[in-house]
Amino acid sequence: MGGPTEKTGVPLAERMRPKRLEDIVGQEHLIGPGSPITKAFRSGHIFSVIFWGPPGSGKTTLAKLMGEDANIPFHSFSAVTSGVKELRQIIEQAKMVRATSDRSTILFVDEIHRFNKAQQDAFLPHVESGLIILIGATTQNPSFEIISPLLSRARMMTLNPLSKEEIKTLLLRALEDRDRGFGTVDIEIEPHVLEYMVELAQGDARVALNNLESAVYYASGGRDEAPVRLDLKTTEAALQKKALPYDKDGEEHYNLISAFHKSMRGSDNQASIYWLYRMLMAGEDPLFICRRMIRFATEDVGMADPNALQVALAAFDSWQKVGPPEAELALAEAAVYLASAPKSNTLYLAEKAVKQEIEKSGALPAPLHIRNAPTALMKKLGYGRGYLYPHNYPGGRVEQEYLPKDIKDRAFYRPTDRGFEREIRKRIGERKKE
């Protein structure tokens, strides 16, 4: 019989591809009410666009739906497997269509970033003339990979990785769909197995559906006999990936992030990488890890290495813009940098000291000479009087009071002699001498 996954010979992910715009899960910012794509579908006016997003986010689906909705010739072209010869043939066919019906032709270019500059230049004039409506899909930042003239003639739309709830919705839909999915198969799936598959997918719908198909086929033994039971052990064996014990709302969640934080604080590079990947492989939200590294950069490294914050922010930005698996290395780079950086918690201590002082002394008034004086009355009252403009003095510094009178001798921030704080301490010392 071939088993429950081989009835059509078409992979589950392809069978479950949405046939209507309304069936797409996620990307509400692009297909919600009043969005440019929704308006294009309703009006029939399809425009050139480049979809930028991670694998399995719906780029190809949107492109195909736009082609079907427009009711004009549609050609799918892969920048990986096709060449200039095939592109020229499509252009010639498009010219014939234009000559006989005055219609444009949609050209969908998958992995468009794989085209070099000369190849992109080749179909630029045809996009400009309206002969070709270009729909491109790329996992790379178009700003770096697509030539400017082409970018200026196409809208750029960003797709996000699907959320865990959206991936779960797709899996449940595949389990219930009687025509395209497993709705006619008696499948018993344990709830935590579904969660496991959601975590493994990392926002990629294709990965999620492929994993489900593999697990069902493995559990069925390739036979149509019912029922098919999917427990954790069977699913791990099918996907060759072990589910690491991890409860993101429970003790293990806090244990691992604590181990990660303390390993970086202890300047242990090896342990920092280990705990980082323990969390990533168990399905922790990478942006949660990035937020903790940003906090670490300011609390435990601070001014001992001001670049630490930039590295942590770059990791956060990398994950948002690139996603898995490429951006995992960006997180690893940040973890190693933070673990290796000189440590100082003086900013954290200064923050605590400042907050305590404000709670204790209340809203002390700013000294008159450093207050703002936008009106004549304020100037008459002494606002800004006696202020010494530092740039008018040697070295751009001049001695005057900046703190309220009652706490003018308080020192909240006390730099150490570690890393860059040694330089800050030196500067403060020089200022006092002057």
Side-chain angles (χ1 to χ4, degrees), residues 10 43 45 99 103 137 151 186 188 200 210 278 283 296 332 349 353 357 363 380:
V10 179
S43 65
H45 179 67
R103 292 188 301 170
L151 275 180
D186 184 5
E188 298 175 4
L200 282 182
N210 286 344
R278 271 289 300 275
F296 181 91
L349 295 176
E357 180 60 54
K380 186 176 180 181

Side-chain angles (χ1 to χ4, degrees), residues 209-224:
L209 293 170
N210 286 344
N211 285 347
L212 176 62
E213 184 173 31
S214 298
V216 171
Y217 182 74
Y218 180 90
S220 70
R223 300 183 299 274
D224 282 326

Side-chain angles (χ1 to χ4, degrees), residues 174-242:
L175 287 167
E176 296 166 0
D177 192 304
R178 299 180 64 84
D179 296 324
R180 298 180 293 159
F182 294 131
T184 59
V185 182
D186 184 5
I187 299 177
E188 298 175 4
I189 182 169
E190 297 178 0
H192 57 279
V193 171
L194 198 61
E195 299 298 332
Y196 167 56
M197 288 188 177
V198 169
E199 297 292 350
L200 282 182
Q202 291 290 300
D204 187 327
R206 190 180 299 107
V207 167
L209 293 170
N210 286 344
N211 285 347
L212 176 62
E213 184 173 31
S214 298
V216 171
Y217 182 74
Y218 180 90
S220 70
R223 300 183 299 274
D224 282 326
E225 299 173 4
V228 177
R229 293 186 176 88
L230 285 182
D231 56 24
L232 189 59
K233 184 177 179 180
T234 301
T235 306
E236 286 177 343
L239 304 182
Q240 294 295 298
K241 290 186 178 181
K242 187 168 181 61

Side-chain angles (χ1 to χ4, degrees), residues 79-80 87 95 112 116-117 128 134 155 157 237 251 266 303 327 331 342-343 349 377 404 415 432:
V80 178
L87 181 60
K95 288 179 178 178
I112 192 172
N116 59 35
K117 184 179 182 297
E128 192 170 27
L134 174 67
R155 300 191 193 185
M157 296 187 174
E251 180 181 345
M303 294 303 296
L331 271 65
K343 307 297 189 297
L349 295 176
L377 176 61
K432 286 183 178 179

